[in-house]
């Protein structure tokens, strides 16, 4: 009621000043009545609204006063004096009943109740998604797939929190899958050579010596298997990225391919811009990608490999093509998704997963496709240096 009383006081003062400025006729009778400044018509208001109005009248103009009283029977008159030396202006008004203090407090109580109800609804609207998020947390801890979580909703901040927790859940789920893959993979891959070694140990001495070279092969196979799985876990994410020259890098990789894998390497460079001259990488991790490709070329690609460098507006591409028999369409799709299953007579597909993860770490991509003339083409795409993650 206070703002309304303040505006009403301003209206009364403006009306009084306007009538005086316009030269309104001073008359003791009529719809507007005037009394001298020394008169004391009416009485000080006792109702809350009029009392606050009188207070604001005195506050806005020093010496101004407001009174209310009965005059000439039952007519209620409101008297206002716009200044200490101005006359009183009287105006007949209809009876104003604001219900007294009891009604005022009842209205304030209703307003407080509605306010509390609205606040409760707002708080409930905020807390409900938080409660749902807290209920989903144990599922994440139990290893539930994050993709099955329902949208939480709620305020923007809660949605951001949901996205952060969902991302964390995805990371935990990925780590859980990697741990499972590491344990089951090592167990599966090492069981066969360990069984052969165990059988060899039970052979007579003469036969045992004859199997010595085969035992060395088994030991090397187990060492290679363990190295692959450990590489999958580490993936070079702790290695610092450096800028390398494409030509120097390929020369180093050619030397490794010839000396350690016995491959026949040919390089066809196709530089169409400066972006292909250098790129940023983690050398040890990226070398692991090339080693895996070299090893697959030695096993399945007829021992020959062609390397080509292409420059594109947004990235640098290195193509590695072997001259083997290629792969089936189903296996090609699985390789591009990084989910190649174990094949009879082949590995467990760990090398493909290692390559994909390392290329993701570089902000790039790896893509496999069959060459039109036969063989498999591996495309390694690296972003320009400005957009690469470090």
């Amino acid at each position: 009621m206070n703002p309304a009383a303040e505006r009403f006081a301003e209206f009364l003062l403006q009306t009084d000043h306007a009538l005086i400025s316009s030269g309104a006729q001073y008359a003791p009778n009529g719809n507007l009545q005037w009394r001298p400044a020394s008169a004391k018509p009416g009485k000080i208001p006792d109702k809350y609204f009029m009392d606050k109005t009188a207070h604001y009248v005195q506050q806005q103009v020093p010496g101004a006063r407001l009174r209310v009283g009965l005059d000439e029977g039952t007519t209620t008159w409101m008297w206002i004096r716009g200044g200490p030396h101005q006359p009183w202006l009287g105006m007949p008004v209809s009876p104003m009943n604001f219900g007294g203090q009891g009604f005022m407090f009842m209205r304030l109580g209703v307003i407080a109740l509605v306010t509390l109800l609205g606040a409760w609804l707002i708080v409930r609207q905020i807390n409900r998604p938080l409660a749902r998020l807290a209920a989903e947390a144990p599922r994440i801890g139990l290893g539930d797939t994050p993709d099955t979580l329902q949208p939480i909703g709620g305020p923007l901040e809660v949605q951001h929190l949901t996205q952060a927790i969902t991302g964390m859940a995805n990371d935990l789920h990925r780590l859980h899958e990697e741990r499972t893959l590491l344990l089951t993979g090592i167990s599966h891959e090492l069981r066969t050579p360990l069984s052969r070694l165990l059988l060899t140990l039970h052979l007579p001495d003469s036969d045992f010596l004859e199997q010595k070279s085969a035992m060395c092969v088994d030991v090397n196979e187990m060492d290679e298997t363990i190295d692959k799985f450990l590489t999958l876990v580490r993936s070079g994410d702790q290695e610092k990225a450096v800028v390398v020259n494409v030509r120097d890098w390929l020369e180093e990789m050619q030397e490794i391919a010839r000396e350690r894998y016995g491959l026949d390497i040919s390089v066809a460079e196709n530089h169409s811009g400066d972006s292909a001259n250098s790129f940023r990488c983690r050398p040890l991790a990226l070398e692991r990608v090339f080693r895996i490709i070299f090893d697959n070329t030695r096993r399945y690609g007829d021992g020959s490999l062609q390397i080509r460098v292409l420059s594109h507006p947004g990235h640098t591409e290195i193509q590695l093509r072997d001259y083997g028999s290629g792969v089936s369409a189903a296996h090609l799709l699985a390789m591009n998704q990084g989910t190649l299953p174990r094949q009879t007579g082949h590995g467990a597909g760990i090398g493909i997963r290692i390559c994909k993860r390392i290329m993701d770490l570089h902000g790039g991509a790896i893509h496999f496709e069959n060459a039109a003339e036969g063989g498999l083409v591996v495309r390694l795409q690296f972003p320009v240096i400005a957009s690469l993650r470090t």
Side-chain angles (χ1 to χ4, degrees), residues 259-271:
E259 293 183 358
R260 302 188 183 183
Y261 295 90
L263 300 182
D264 181 15
I265 299 292
S266 62
V267 179
E269 298 187 48
N270 184 15
H271 295 294

Side-chain angles (χ1 to χ4, degrees), residues 321-336:
R321 178 204 170 185
D322 63 32
Y323 294 87
S325 58
V327 297
S328 65
H331 284 160
L332 197 63
L333 178 62
M335 290 168 64
N336 286 320

Side-chain angles (χ1 to χ4, degrees), residues 50-344:
M50 295 305 299
D51 179 63
K52 294 302 295 184
T53 302
H55 171 74
Y56 285 121
V57 166
Q58 298 178 35
Q59 187 179 47
Q60 294 178 22
V61 179
R65 294 291 185 270
L66 177 67
R67 290 176 178 269
V68 178
L70 296 175
D71 193 7
E72 298 181 0
T74 59
T75 304
T76 301
W77 286 78
M78 184 168 56
W79 300 89
I80 181 169
R81 186 179 68 181
H85 303 294
Q86 293 184 6
W88 289 90
L89 170 63
M91 296 173 286
V93 295
S94 301
M96 293 188 297
N97 183 13
F98 294 94
Q101 292 185 350
F103 179 71
M104 181 184 67
F105 284 118
M106 183 178 68
R107 292 204 302 171
L108 290 177
V110 173
I111 293 174
L113 179 62
V114 174
T115 302
L116 290 175
L117 179 62
W120 177 79
L121 291 175
I122 294 174
V123 172
R124 182 173 180 270
Q125 203 64 15
I126 295 175
N127 288 340
R128 185 167 60 178
L130 288 176
R132 289 186 56 195
L133 189 61
E136 297 288 358
R139 295 176 54 195
I140 298 175
L142 294 174
D144 194 3
T145 304
D147 294 337
T148 63
L149 299 179
Q150 298 297 324
I152 299 298
L156 186 60
E157 292 78 6
V158 176
Q159 296 181 20
H160 289 168
L161 177 62
T162 303
Q163 294 174 1
I165 292 181
T166 303
M168 181 184 64
N170 282 318
D171 293 338
L172 291 175
H173 185 71
R174 178 177 58 82
L175 291 175
H176 175 72
E177 288 186 337
E178 290 175 358
R179 184 189 64 178
T180 304
L181 176 66
L182 178 65
L183 296 177
T184 58
I186 288 180
S187 175
H188 185 274
E189 293 292 318
L190 297 184
R191 185 173 289 114
T192 300
L194 284 175
S195 299
R196 288 198 299 263
L197 288 175
L198 183 61
L199 290 174
T200 305
L201 291 175
H202 289 81
L203 294 176
D205 292 342
S206 57
D207 294 336
F208 178 81
L209 294 176
E210 293 178 359
Q211 296 294 326
K212 183 177 180 180
S213 59
M215 293 174 62
C216 293
V217 172
D218 289 337
V219 171
N220 291 333
E221 180 180 345
M222 289 189 293
D223 181 68
E224 182 181 355
T225 299
I226 294 175
D227 181 63
K228 283 186 177 180
F229 279 100
L230 292 178
T231 301
L232 177 64
V233 174
R234 292 192 295 263
S235 298
D237 53 352
Q238 301 298 325
E239 185 182 1
K240 183 178 179 180
V242 297
V243 178
V244 298
N245 182 272
V246 174
R247 185 184 299 276
D248 295 341
W249 176 262
L250 291 181
E251 288 180 355
E252 183 178 350
M253 292 301 103
Q254 290 178 64
E255 183 178 354
I256 293 176
R258 292 191 181 100
E259 293 183 358
R260 302 188 183 183
Y261 295 90
L263 300 182
D264 181 15
I265 299 292
S266 62
V267 179
E269 298 187 48
N270 184 15
H271 295 294
S272 58
D274 294 337
S275 61
N277 292 334
S278 61
F279 62 96
R280 184 172 295 173
C281 72
R282 291 172 169 85
L284 294 179
L286 187 59
E287 181 180 334
R288 169 64 63 179
V289 174
F290 279 82
R291 284 178 175 270
I292 291 173
I293 296 174
F294 294 158
D295 184 59
N296 289 336
T297 301
R298 180 185 60 183
R299 294 183 180 182
Y300 319 114
D302 199 25
S304 298
L305 187 69
Q306 182 189 66
I307 302 177
R308 180 184 296 273
V309 181
L310 300 177
S311 177
H312 300 280
H315 63 275
T316 298
E317 179 178 318
I318 299 178
Q319 294 183 4
L320 300 99
R321 178 204 170 185
D322 63 32
Y323 294 87
S325 58
V327 297
S328 65
H331 284 160
L332 197 63
L333 178 62
M335 290 168 64
N336 286 320
Q337 294 176 347
T339 58
L340 184 65
R342 179 177 177 83
Q343 309 166 71
T344 304

